[in-house]
Amino acid sequence: MNTFIFDIDGTLLDNVEAYLYGLQKTLRRHGREVPIHELTWTNGRAGVDSLAELGFSAAEIPEVHEQWREDSKEFLTDIAWFPGMQHALNQLKQTYKLGLVTSKDKTQFIEEDKKFHFSPYFDAIVVAGEAKRNKPFGDPITLARERLGSEPASSIYIGDTPTDAQAAADAKVAFALAGWTTPPSNEVMPRVAVLQQASDLLTLPTLA
């Protein structure tokens, strides 16, 4: 195992609920009251894909997506890296190839990169819309792996949602669950490991 590809939300950053509350607020703008637990399926998916499944038309989606981005900012004030994550990434980077696959679009990623400085840790970054299909398809993971010059058998994707698990399986790479956000279940299979804290990432090279 020499290549580690990461999700962002709920994996590197403790911010999943912020985007759900932002989406809930956006839907209220459009006369729809939806409980948070009925929106969790959007976690890990590209925003434009989620909005399409929520019934917005192709013409409406750009504006609604921008509203969602703005509405989420109200809830993103206390977001931070998970404890120990940056140290673990620094340790891995000394020996292994690191990639990043996110369902954020380019604009969202640039905004967050300015604040959290992801780029120095990763040798390849794939945002929503770069691959032919977004997660839950494996295309973005495959694109990141190809940019890193790695093979499926030596690559692992680390994420926290069923969407991440599905994408890893579709890309034919191993999957490790960010257990600090999501408890293990059948929905987040297949997996190589359930990680309980950032330091557990350092054990991954020996697991597969």
Side-chain angles (χ1 to χ4, degrees):
M1 196 62 64
N2 63 19
T3 300
F4 302 87
I5 305 172
F6 290 81
D7 171 51
I8 294 180
D9 299 335
T11 302
L12 301 181
L13 298 183
D14 187 5
N15 61 351
V16 171
E17 288 191 353
Y19 287 104
L20 293 179
Y21 283 111
L23 177 57
Q24 185 183 54
K25 183 175 178 179
T26 299
L27 291 174
R28 286 193 186 115
R29 293 176 181 271
H30 295 270
R32 298 168 63 177
E33 185 63 49
V34 183
I36 289 294
H37 72 270
E38 293 183 13
L39 296 174
T40 56
W41 62 269
T42 65
N43 286 339
R45 305 190 59 154
V48 292
D49 295 339
S50 296
L51 292 175
E53 291 199 33
L54 284 164
F56 291 98
S57 69
E60 293 172 317
I61 284 174
E63 180 179 352
V64 178
H65 196 210
E66 181 60 28
Q67 289 174 348
W68 183 3
R69 182 183 295 117
E70 291 301 314
D71 287 338
S72 295
K73 289 179 180 179
E74 174 184 342
F75 307 99
L76 286 167
T77 54
D78 297 321
I79 299 306
W81 288 84
F82 281 106
M85 185 61 65
Q86 290 160 289
H87 175 73
L89 292 176
N90 273 323
Q91 294 294 106
L92 288 172
K93 187 172 176 60
Q94 293 179 26
T95 307
Y96 305 104
K97 303 173 185 176
L98 302 188
L100 190 65
V101 167
T102 177
S103 291
K104 300 178 187 298
D105 62 24
K106 186 175 182 179
T107 300
Q108 287 176 301
F109 177 76
I110 289 172
E111 286 180 358
E112 290 205 355
D113 196 27
K114 289 177 181 177
K115 182 175 182 180
F116 297 104
H117 309 293
F118 302 118
S119 295
Y121 298 102
F122 299 100
D123 306 301
I125 296 169
V126 176
V127 301
E130 282 195 81
K132 183 177 180 180
R133 300 172 297 181
N134 297 315
K135 295 187 294 182
F137 296 100
D139 303 27
I141 297 174
T142 298
L143 180 57
R145 178 183 58 73
E146 290 173 346
R147 289 178 176 176
L148 292 164
S150 302
E151 297 298 322
S154 63
S155 303
I156 188 166
Y157 188 58
I158 300 98
D160 66 297
T161 67
T163 298
D164 293 328
Q166 292 165 26
D170 191 51
K172 297 180 172 55
V173 304
F175 176 69
L177 176 65
W180 45 82
T181 294
T182 305
S185 72
N186 290 335
E187 288 186 314
V188 286
M189 292 288 282
R191 60 178 181 266
V192 168
V194 178
L195 309 171
Q196 298 299 340
Q197 55 192 3
S199 60
D200 291 346
L201 289 165
L202 304 178
T203 68
L204 286 179
T206 67
L207 294 179

